[in-house]
Amino acid sequence: MKYYGKKFEGKIPKSGLSVKHTMKNMKKLIVFFLIALNTHHLHAQDEEIATPSRTVAKIQPQQFVDNTFFLSLEKFNKDFGKSFNFGLGLTSTNNEVSQSGYKAEIQYRYYPLKFAESKGRKSGQSYHGGIYAGIYLHHSYNQKTTSYYEFNDIPDSDPVLVENKHKVVAFNPGIVIGYQKTFFEKLYIEAYVGGGIRTGSISDSRTGYIEYNDGIFDEDYQGVFPKIGFNIGLGL
């Protein structure tokens, strides 16, 4: 075959080299864009999963022992470094000794390292957790009514129903430290310990009643009072 014109020396024209170079750069740019898009999507998913609730509803299981259902709400600020915790409980039982009353508490909590995201060392799963220190004021009202029939020496007389009412109004300011952690994004588990001073007033309908108590677990107790327990919560 004859070649007319300048002799072909096996070199690619500059225009062909430019097209191939441009196509190669475009492929690199597309791959980089896809990787960046995928990384951003995964990061956004992680952020969505890891975002904690600013309001958490909790119950105190240990309060069931005292015939009380205690519900509290914790409200975090914007950076999850502080929170307020409001609690209210209702007490009720109707046995040989009927009992009724309520408990109320307010806490201010400070998280030194914030309620921050962490990852499990073994599982690698993200969760939120933090240690807090706080102050609280606890108030309670409790009334126990004991009913029984009293017999007298009068022949053919009916027994008389007697009701003794015992009322305790208590206030307990104190300090508390605790740790709270999330599980499965919305489940919150919390443990705490602290204490304060319990004081208040006691009244009893029995004539000649003498105040006494059996220790810190008696509703009549006043003095240094410990605070220990745990909460189970759900993010709202």
Side-chain angles (χ1 to χ4, degrees), residues 11-27:
K11 296 183 179 179
I12 300 175
K14 290 185 178 180
S15 59
L17 180 62
S18 177
V19 171
K20 284 193 174 185
H21 183 69
T22 302
M23 292 295 293
K24 188 175 181 180
N25 287 340
M26 287 181 65
K27 288 181 180 179

Side-chain angles (χ1 to χ4, degrees), residues 134-154:
I135 57 175
Y136 68 88
L137 176 61
H138 184 94
H139 167 60
S140 64
Y141 168 82
N142 188 63
Q143 175 179 295
K144 285 186 176 181
T145 303
T146 306
S147 302
Y148 61 92
Y149 286 95
E150 192 173 76
F151 295 87
N152 52 50
D153 297 332
I154 302 176

Side-chain angles (χ1 to χ4, degrees), residues 39-108:
T39 301
H40 176 74
H41 177 67
L42 292 176
H43 183 64
Q45 283 186 329
D46 289 340
E47 287 185 345
E48 182 178 354
I49 292 174
T51 301
S53 302
R54 295 194 185 278
T55 305
V56 185
K58 307 174 186 178
I59 61 171
Q60 292 185 1
Q62 66 271 17
Q63 293 285 350
F64 293 132
V65 178
D66 195 29
N67 302 305
T68 301
F69 179 77
F70 195 90
L71 177 67
S72 63
L73 289 175
E74 182 174 10
K75 183 71 175 180
F76 287 94
N77 67 343
K78 292 183 179 180
D79 65 354
F80 292 90
K82 301 172 184 177
S83 72
F84 280 98
N85 194 79
F86 306 92
L88 180 65
L90 297 177
T91 302
S92 179
T93 183
N94 190 16
N95 298 319
E96 293 181 359
V97 178
S98 63
Q99 182 178 5
S100 62
Y102 65 85
K103 298 178 180 180
E105 183 174 293
I106 181 171
Q107 285 188 25
Y108 170 76

